Amino acid sequence: MTDADSSAIDPNGDLVIDSQQDSELVFVKNVGTGSQTVDVLPLTLYGNPWPVDDTRWSPSSGNSFMLLSDNQQLIVYRIDAAGGFPRNQAYSAGQGTVLETTTTTGVMVPIFVGMETPHGLLFVSF
């Protein structure tokens, strides 16, 4: 990785590291064991590599909303999804956009645009 940025634990319990400028998510399975493996997922938006800063998964149960900070504008956004966020769905933030991320293909779809520097994505359950 040329630009390891943030890390998270996915719904399967795997470590996920964001390689920001490589436009990749790196999945480390069975961390610290003799059966540890690494898979790299290239990320794309409209068929082009797309760097992201953070990736997080919506909660597996209950209602939730997303919080996202925009460091340059000094704003924290609360993002609610009509009908709720799909369970265990990955979302990434980068290049002024929040994206729904498909972790089997790396294809991303924008869901919220117009920020300067989105960082610090997380979900709050209630």
Side-chain angles (χ1 to χ4, degrees), residues 18-68:
D18 176 330
S19 185
Q20 185 172 358
Q21 290 306 313
D22 297 318
S23 302
E24 297 172 341
L25 293 180
V26 178
F27 291 80
V28 184
K29 300 174 189 219
N30 304 309
V31 174
T33 70
S35 60
Q36 179 174 307
T37 60
V38 176
D39 293 315
V40 177
L41 178 68
L43 300 173
T44 60
L45 177 64
Y46 307 123
N48 300 305
W50 195 260
V52 297
D53 184 71
D54 292 304
T55 298
R56 298 293 182 266
W57 282 259
S58 57
S60 60
S61 62
N63 295 321
S64 66
F65 58 87
M66 181 189 297
L67 289 178
L68 178 69

Side-chain angles (χ1 to χ4, degrees), residues 41 101-107:
L41 178 68
T101 303
T102 304
T103 57
T104 55
T105 63
V107 172

Side-chain angles (χ1 to χ4, degrees), residues 114-126:
M115 297 164 286
E116 293 291 326
T117 56
H119 297 281
L121 170 67
L122 68 92
F123 283 89
V124 176
S125 296
F126 59 95

